[in-house]
Amino acid sequence: MQSAMKFELPDELNAKQPPERRGLRRDYVKMMVLNKTTGQTNHTQFYQLDRFLKKGDLLVLNASRTVPAVLKSKKELDGTEVEIRLAHRKNESIWEALPVSGNVKKDDVIRFSPTLTATIIEQSDDTPFVSLAFNLCCSSLFDQIYDLGEPVRYEYIQEPWNLDYYQTVFATIPGSVEMPSAGRAFSWELLFRLQKKGVKIAYITLHTGLSYLLDDKWHKGPDKNFENYEVPKETAELILETKNAGGRIIAVGTTVVRTLETVAIEKGMLQAASGWTNLYITENTKLQVCDGLITGMHEPEASHLQLLSAFVDREKLYSAYTDAIHQRYLWHEFGDMNLIL
């Protein structure tokens, strides 16, 4: 386990509101451009991203769509209220979930609505999660979840922003319980402008799991957190074609880095693939696919900072973050952006 990067983050730098509620377009948030070789930083706004990418580069985006993972229910047996947070989708009708309130045990049936119930089919003292087998599957199950659920919101969020604020503009495949937030700052206008310049765009899917389990006892590192991914054939081919032509692969988010590097390690080369990843990327990881990264600002000691140190020396990263705090950047999913090239 690598030592975590520590720094002091002032409370006022937690982004409590989406940019749109602060009077900004989503693509007008700040962007720190960090040169991974020199450590030099440049401060601009995200809508100027096209100034830093070249014709022939490839942006890889995560197409996973956020589901409202917080659900209220009652036990069929006695009517006790139970709140759960969906954590990982295991298949078309089974989810791993975190019970937040109410005591549940194996074989309990909980009811979410007149048409949606779930049976607890697994529970163990070794994990905070239970396995829920829903009575619906596929689009019928997602329809109910979208009707009934609320997005996962953390303590620095003080108002119940609705689910639309937790989506990227290009998200199409439901399954993430926390927004893959590196893509949030993209607008369609910016994506079109990048394409007009000759920057190519491709998609993977990685459904994010629940990262905060409410009790530090259950803290899980990246190597314990399995997330479901898919790399389509056309994306794999475009990445190989771009590399062969000398273009750069720019990952939009740590989820994209984990997905592409997982496939490269497990298959020996990038190709179409799907599965589960628990890849833990640190400064000792030699990246095989990704040349650059677009990401948000990560909190002190977050494992994401160790992934960033695979792109840029830790001392340079620490210096850049110190600069970002001085420049009053905002942190978390509604905050500002960092381009590492």
Side-chain angles (χ1 to χ4, degrees), residues 141-252:
L141 176 55
F142 275 122
D143 285 347
Q144 282 283 302
I145 291 172
Y146 277 103
D147 276 349
L148 301 169
E150 295 284 332
V152 174
R153 304 182 183 99
Y154 289 115
E155 71 283 354
Y156 51 85
I157 300 296
Q158 296 171 343
E159 296 187 50
W161 308 116
N162 67 38
L163 185 65
D164 289 343
Y165 289 116
Y166 293 85
Q167 302 290 4
T168 60
V169 298
F170 49 80
T172 53
I173 305 169
S176 282
V177 299
E178 296 178 2
M179 175 174 56
S181 55
R184 192 192 186 283
F186 282 94
S187 62
W188 285 119
E189 180 186 327
L190 177 57
L191 288 168
F192 289 144
R193 203 163 72 238
L194 288 164
Q195 285 182 304
K196 190 175 178 182
K197 182 171 181 172
V199 175
K200 297 172 286 185
I201 293 171
Y203 297 90
I204 59 95
T205 304
L206 181 140
H207 296 309
T208 65
L210 198 60
S211 63
Y212 181 51
L213 307 182
L214 302 175
D215 184 341
D216 290 340
K217 168 187 172 186
W218 297 112
H219 175 73
K220 296 174 77 174
D223 55 332
K224 301 286 194 306
N225 186 26
F226 287 81
E227 295 175 310
N228 189 217
Y229 71 85
E230 180 176 7
V231 178
K233 182 170 180 285
E234 56 270 29
T235 294
E237 291 176 349
L238 198 50
I239 289 172
L240 295 175
E241 178 186 305
T242 299
K243 282 213 165 273
N244 288 336
R248 298 174 297 182
I249 308 301
I250 313 298
V252 179

Side-chain angles (χ1 to χ4, degrees), residues 73-76 82 104 108-112 116-118 132:
S73 66
K74 289 184 178 179
K75 283 203 288 189
E76 287 277 70
V82 178
V104 293
D108 278 350
V109 176
I110 54 178
R111 178 168 291 280
F112 300 89
L116 182 65
T117 63
L132 297 179

Side-chain angles (χ1 to χ4, degrees), residues 305-329:
L305 292 168
Q306 292 165 350
L307 185 148
L308 266 58
S309 67
F311 286 86
V312 58
D313 176 88
R314 283 165 59 91
E315 288 186 9
K316 293 183 175 69
L317 181 63
Y318 181 82
S319 176
Y321 263 57
T322 303
D323 194 15
I325 291 171
H326 180 70
Q327 299 279 343
R328 314 301 289 170
Y329 273 63

Side-chain angles (χ1 to χ4, degrees), residues 6-150:
K6 298 179 181 178
F7 55 92
E8 193 71 31
L9 180 65
D11 181 63
E12 64 269 22
L13 297 187
N14 292 315
K16 300 177 176 63
Q17 301 171 307
E20 301 93 315
R21 301 305 289 261
R22 305 196 302 266
L24 288 177
R25 281 172 35 163
R26 63 170 62 209
D27 57 356
Y28 272 54
V29 295
K30 291 181 183 177
M31 179 171 70
M32 177 171 71
V33 184
L34 171 57
N35 184 308
K36 64 184 183 182
T37 305
T38 66
Q40 186 176 9
T41 54
N42 182 8
H43 300 285
T44 181
Q45 287 174 291
F46 191 71
Y47 76 94
Q48 299 206 15
L49 178 64
D50 56 333
R51 285 176 45 205
F52 301 92
L53 301 186
K54 298 183 293 192
K55 179 180 179 180
D57 286 342
L58 174 65
L59 272 180
V60 185
L61 306 171
N62 183 358
S64 180
R65 190 168 181 80
T66 314
V67 300
V70 180
L71 293 165
K72 304 283 179 57
S73 66
K74 289 184 178 179
K75 283 203 288 189
E76 287 277 70
L77 182 64
D78 57 11
T80 305
E81 293 188 353
V82 178
E83 179 180 323
I84 62 120
R85 294 185 177 186
L86 300 176
H88 299 98
R89 178 172 174 263
K90 307 302 285 186
N91 64 31
E92 299 284 10
S93 62
I94 295 178
W95 281 77
E96 210 169 51
L98 177 71
V100 175
S101 65
N103 293 317
V104 293
K105 63 181 188 304
K106 188 178 177 189
D107 298 327
D108 278 350
V109 176
I110 54 178
R111 178 168 291 280
F112 300 89
S113 76
T115 54
L116 182 65
T117 63
T119 303
I120 296 174
I121 58 172
E122 283 184 32
Q123 187 188 36
S124 164
D125 292 336
D126 299 330
T127 171
F129 298 126
V130 297
S131 290
L132 297 179
F134 286 96
N135 65 324
L136 300 176
C137 78
C138 316
S139 59
S140 299
L141 176 55
F142 275 122
D143 285 347
Q144 282 283 302
I145 291 172
Y146 277 103
D147 276 349
L148 301 169
E150 295 284 332

